[in-house]
Amino acid sequence: MRTTRATSLVPLWDRNDEWRRRLEMVAAAREFLYASTYYLEYDRYGIEFLDALDAACGRGVAVNLLLDGFGQTLGGVLMTDRAKRALAARLDALAQAGATVTTYRPPFAVQRRLGGGQHVKIQVSEAGEAIFGSSNVTASSFEHWHEFSVALRGPVVPVLLESYRDLGGIVDAAHVDHLRTAAPGSGLDLEYWFCNPNLGQGRLGPLGWRGPNEVTERMVALMDGARTSVQLTAFYFKPIPPLLRAVEAAARRGVQVEVYHSHRDALDATALAWIAAAATYDRLLDAGVRIWEHQDGEHSKIVLVDDERVSFGSYNFEDAAHDRLAEAMLETTDEAMVAAAREIFRDLAADPAQMAVTETFRDALSPVLRLRLAVMRHFKRWM
């Protein structure tokens, strides 16, 4: 955990606002630009972003783009072979134009085969602003799913860029120094939680690895310390056992726990992520947790506790976020940010695309899906 500060924190819940801000940062960059993502799709958004990076290279900006190897492979199922070839050609051309294009892959074969990688989304330029949150560079993030990011200024910005190194990226120390010198020290308090489990593992990768993972530990502490309410969003809610037990315990001691995540139809490629989440529905419902599935997809990662502290970033409530993927979250008790999170949860609760999960949820499933749930739930850790 690292304590830092921000002189400005702007919530970016509206998809158009975030995309416009990202492109404006690239267009305004004159010295350096860093961007990390789990997945860049060769669609309208990926092409527009690559066009902006090409233009930045053309005017002499030091461009650094970090992708995740497993994320690109996983997301590649959404692209045609032609689109994948076109993306590879564009990335090669970007590198030839002078950009540093890095695809992160953990050092050991077991890590790579089991989905190890980096899942943190950071975008920074010399102007002193960072964008940090849950969004990938894909139409799914900007046209279909809910996402949440923030635009930040102040001492937190060089902290974010420093952690870019631990994601597998290459960072010029002079750029960190520039941001540190330019960032005033006043502002609102933040905690930055970061962990890349791949850096602490041996040749067996996550097999037998016991941590620690600072982000998971902070999540457990949030649940343990909750007094009245916990509201959270996740892609698919399927946390590791200690975190699941902490959520259950909070609900059983009277904390109102609400989980907003995705419906099984929100992910076209497979139902496995939903099956892993549904495997714990009985336990959660029995404890008193209220669960909603969003039909179009919930990909934001927001945790609001007791209406007084909020965390946000990249951490999914899943095994992979604990032992395979680099993840990061920011937390603050800033009243304006808490109010913004409160408004988001009000919007989610009123959204007609939300479907409440009840004890009879299995009755609406097809026989095939019920069978898959019965069998595949035992492999939750890997889904």
Side-chain angles (χ1 to χ4, degrees):
M1 180 183 73
R2 184 162 179 179
T3 301
T4 182
R5 300 179 73 81
T7 55
S8 172
L9 195 162
V10 179
L12 299 173
W13 176 248
D14 182 90
R15 302 293 74 233
N16 292 327
D17 286 349
E18 180 183 339
W19 186 243
R20 181 171 57 251
R21 196 147 187 151
R22 286 187 179 276
L23 291 179
E24 287 174 351
M25 180 190 292
V26 179
R30 292 296 178 269
E31 297 179 29
F32 60 83
L33 187 287
Y34 292 81
S36 67
T37 186
Y38 187 59
Y39 169 58
L40 187 151
E41 186 172 357
Y42 199 67
D43 58 10
R44 175 171 90 80
Y45 293 89
I47 292 169
E48 191 171 13
F49 196 67
L50 290 169
D51 287 345
L53 295 182
D54 283 339
C57 277
R59 60 179 182 269
V61 176
V63 171
N64 194 312
L65 175 64
L66 174 62
L67 309 173
D68 183 70
F70 188 80
Q72 285 299 125
T73 300
L74 197 65
V77 301
L78 303 175
M79 290 190 286
T80 64
D81 289 340
R82 182 179 179 180
K84 285 186 275 191
R85 289 193 298 270
L87 175 58
R90 288 294 303 270
L91 293 174
D92 286 344
L94 185 62
Q96 291 171 10
T100 300
V101 180
T102 306
T103 299
Y104 176 63
R105 294 182 176 89
F108 299 117
V110 170
Q111 293 173 318
R112 296 190 294 272
R113 289 171 183 165
L114 294 179
Q118 82 80 22
H119 192 244
V120 182
K121 293 85 174 184
I122 297 171
Q123 184 173 317
V124 179
S125 82
E126 84 282 347
E129 180 168 284
I131 297 175
F132 172 83
S134 64
S135 308
N136 294 306
V137 183
T138 166
S140 294
S141 286
F142 289 96
E143 291 185 1
H144 305 298
W145 300 337
H146 288 150
E147 302 275 9
F148 183 69
S149 297
V150 294
L152 302 128
R153 288 183 175 273
V156 65
V157 177
V159 170
L160 292 172
L161 186 54
E162 281 181 312
S163 68
Y164 194 97
R165 290 192 188 102
D166 290 331
L167 301 175
I170 298 170
V171 178
D172 188 327
H175 296 162
V176 177
D177 291 341
H178 166 83
L179 293 171
R180 192 177 290 125
T181 301
S186 60
L188 59 95
D189 292 328
L190 293 167
E191 287 185 4
Y192 184 48
W193 313 332
F194 176 91
C195 180
N196 182 353
N198 298 288
L199 300 179
Q201 296 172 356
R203 293 188 179 277
L204 293 180
L207 301 176
W209 184 74
R210 294 293 180 267
N213 184 312
E214 175 185 83
V215 189
T216 301
E217 290 175 351
R218 291 302 304 160
M219 287 293 179
V220 171
L222 279 178
M223 301 304 141
D224 288 345
R227 303 184 309 276
T228 58
S229 64
V230 172
Q231 295 171 290
L232 64 88
T233 63
F235 188 32
Y236 286 97
F237 186 74
K238 45 195 175 84
I240 67 166
L243 185 48
L244 177 63
R245 290 193 294 270
V247 171
E248 284 182 283
R252 290 190 186 282
R253 68 174 179 268
V255 176
Q256 181 176 315
V257 180
E258 300 178 344
V259 172
Y260 295 86
H261 73 156
S262 301
H263 187 270
R264 64 181 180 276
D265 293 339
L267 194 59
D268 293 333
T270 178
L272 289 180
W274 177 85
I275 288 171
T280 62
Y281 277 179
D282 291 333
R283 291 177 56 176
L284 292 168
L285 292 169
D286 183 66
V289 176
R290 302 172 69 185
I291 306 169
W292 284 269
E293 298 177 346
H294 196 277
Q295 290 178 293
D296 297 326
E298 184 64 60
H299 197 252
S300 64
K301 299 91 170 63
I302 311 170
V303 183
L304 178 61
V305 176
D306 294 336
D307 232 15
E308 63 185 27
R309 62 177 58 242
V310 59
S311 307
F312 45 88
S314 69
Y315 185 90
N316 279 318
F317 285 81
E318 62 177 7
D319 292 87
H322 175 72
D323 61 19
R324 276 158 279 169
L325 295 174
E327 303 281 11
M329 297 286 282
L330 286 168
E331 185 193 56
T332 184
T333 57
D334 175 66
E335 291 182 4
M337 188 62 213
V338 168
R342 188 184 304 124
E343 184 63 28
I344 287 171
F345 281 107
R346 275 199 290 262
D347 289 346
L348 290 176
D351 191 332
Q354 298 285 5
M355 298 179 63
V357 177
T358 69
E359 290 82 355
T360 61
F361 76 95
R362 284 183 184 78
D363 295 344
L365 304 180
S366 68
V368 171
L369 195 52
R370 285 200 297 270
L371 177 61
R372 293 185 70 194
L373 177 57
V375 175
M376 298 302 295
R377 62 187 300 163
H378 301 293
F379 304 95
K380 167 190 168 294
R381 181 181 179 186
W382 308 109
M383 296 190 296

